[in-house]
Amino acid sequence: MKRIAVWLLMTTMLLIGVGALTNCSERKSPDNEVEESDSTATDSTATEEKEEKLISETPMPEAAEEYFDDFFFNFAANRKLQLERVKFPLTVVDGENRKALKRGQWKIDNFFMRQGYYTQIFDNQRQAEEAKEPTVSHVVLERIDLDEGRVERFFFDRKQKGIWMLTEVKKESVEQNANASFLNFYSRFVSDSAFQIQSLDERVTFSSPSPDDDFEMQTGEIVPDQWPMFKPDLIPDGIIYNIVYGDQLAGSNQKIFLTRGIANGMESQMLFRKKAGKWQLVEFNN
């Protein structure tokens, strides 16, 4: 998703700036705490409404239709476009329950836009390359709640005239997901430091910025005891996302966990392999 429109990058950076200013304004004397908290909330809401209005009034470039990545950033940020690109009545399946959601029942969803990063899970590098193919016409975006053990799957299809539409939503347990084994493992790995060390290969290959120069990279290997000194920033347990461009391989013994920043170009990658029935981290780059 590196082909993000300039206006979207600027808006994201503006959102971050607004958040920083809001935090500064909250650090006032206790006497003004309640009054200024209410005022800050009102100002923040008004600013967000103005930003959303500006984005909604900006038409999506036709070129953004070619790649799902480009379309989705517009879809998640643009209220007007989102309503236009949901196929109503929208079928929502939750276990044995099925309902048809009408336009007036749909709540605008910004997905991962406001958290500043997104995640993807691949079985191999070939799947990662599929994301760059303009011929892709079916994509599933998964919102994974690790705490609740639930997955929401949003099905997007490129319809007639080459436009992307959200056509269906399915809700299921993590156990029903093709990545169930890995997701159960990762939920513990990201939140348990002792388990992280237990889940490292005997030697883990790494590549990261040099502590002496951010423009220089250092590469090498570490053993489990060195993990606390070299480990990358891990996405907190809770809600993560996955974007499926092709077929998922149920039972795959390898997973590439990719994290990308939305506005800052940051990217990190962890490679896990299942050995003797247990997932292990074998390589990471950040």
Side-chain angles (χ1 to χ4, degrees):
M1 294 188 182
K2 294 183 178 179
R3 301 174 300 277
I4 306 170
V6 173
W7 64 266
L8 186 52
L9 279 172
M10 293 177 65
T11 302
T12 306
M13 294 173 69
L14 180 58
L15 286 172
I16 295 171
V18 168
L21 289 173
T22 299
N23 289 337
C24 289
S25 66
E26 288 175 348
R27 291 195 291 270
K28 300 290 185 178
S29 63
D31 294 340
N32 298 328
E33 184 173 352
V34 176
E35 180 181 350
E36 297 208 4
S37 177
D38 293 340
S39 175
T40 300
T42 302
D43 292 344
S44 178
T45 300
T47 300
E48 290 179 4
E49 289 176 351
K50 289 180 181 179
E51 290 165 357
E52 289 181 359
K53 184 175 185 294
L54 176 63
I55 294 173
S56 295
E57 292 174 349
T58 305
M60 182 180 74
E62 290 185 13
E65 210 78 68
E66 185 175 7
Y67 296 93
F68 175 79
D69 297 0
D70 294 340
F71 156 75
F72 185 76
F73 267 99
N74 285 272
F75 178 84
N78 190 322
R79 176 187 297 268
K80 181 181 178 182
L81 178 68
Q82 191 168 131
L83 287 171
E84 292 174 351
R85 295 305 184 87
V86 177
K87 185 180 180 296
F88 295 111
L90 180 68
T91 301
V92 179
V93 181
D94 188 353
E96 298 296 323
N97 299 319
R98 177 185 293 264
K99 63 181 179 181
L101 208 64
K102 297 179 181 178
R103 181 185 176 95
Q105 297 173 300
W106 176 258
K107 295 182 179 179
I108 301 301
D109 197 329
N110 295 120
F111 297 91
F112 47 67
M113 293 301 295
R114 293 188 182 277
Q115 69 183 25
Y117 62 86
Y118 65 96
T119 53
Q120 291 177 274
I121 304 170
F122 300 109
D123 295 311
N124 49 55
Q125 198 59 43
R126 178 183 59 79
Q127 288 183 348
E129 293 301 317
E130 285 182 356
K132 304 173 185 177
E133 296 295 330
T135 55
V136 172
S137 59
H138 176 75
V139 175
V140 181
L141 179 126
E142 297 179 328
R143 176 159 48 210
I144 304 162
D145 190 328
L146 296 175
D147 291 339
E148 298 294 330
R150 298 284 294 172
V151 180
E152 278 186 282
R153 309 184 76 213
F154 299 83
F155 292 78
F156 290 87
D157 292 282
R158 184 143 47 182
K159 295 297 192 179
Q160 295 178 351
K161 299 182 180 179
I163 65 173
W164 286 99
M165 297 286 292
L166 173 61
T167 57
E168 187 177 24
V169 177
K170 288 184 178 180
K171 302 179 181 182
E172 61 188 23
S173 69
V174 163
E175 301 304 326
Q176 296 173 280
N177 193 268
N179 286 323
S181 172
F182 176 74
L183 291 174
N184 286 327
F185 158 80
Y186 185 77
S187 179
R188 184 178 177 187
F189 179 84
V190 75
S191 59
D192 187 334
S193 57
F195 184 67
Q196 289 169 18
I197 295 176
Q198 296 169 16
S199 303
L200 301 183
D201 199 6
E202 292 180 359
R203 289 191 174 276
V204 179
T205 304
F206 79 95
S207 175
S208 64
S210 168
D212 301 320
D213 186 347
D214 289 340
F215 295 99
E216 293 286 335
M217 297 296 292
Q218 59 177 353
T219 60
E221 292 182 338
I222 63 169
V223 296
D225 287 345
Q226 295 173 299
W227 173 250
M229 294 181 290
F230 289 89
K231 78 172 185 176
D233 292 332
L234 301 176
I235 295 300
D237 54 341
I239 295 178
I240 61 174
Y241 287 84
N242 185 30
I243 305 174
V244 184
Y245 300 91
D247 297 326
Q248 289 180 306
L249 304 177
S252 171
N253 290 326
Q254 176 175 284
K255 298 295 176 184
I256 300 171
F257 190 91
L258 184 67
T259 304
R260 284 194 176 122
I262 291 176
N264 57 18
M266 299 298 291
E267 179 173 311
S268 67
Q269 178 175 297
M270 292 185 289
L271 175 63
F272 296 88
R273 291 200 179 103
K274 203 176 209 180
K275 299 183 177 183
K278 295 182 180 181
W279 287 102
Q280 291 185 324
L281 176 67
V282 298
E283 180 181 326
F284 68 89
N285 305 291
N286 65 334

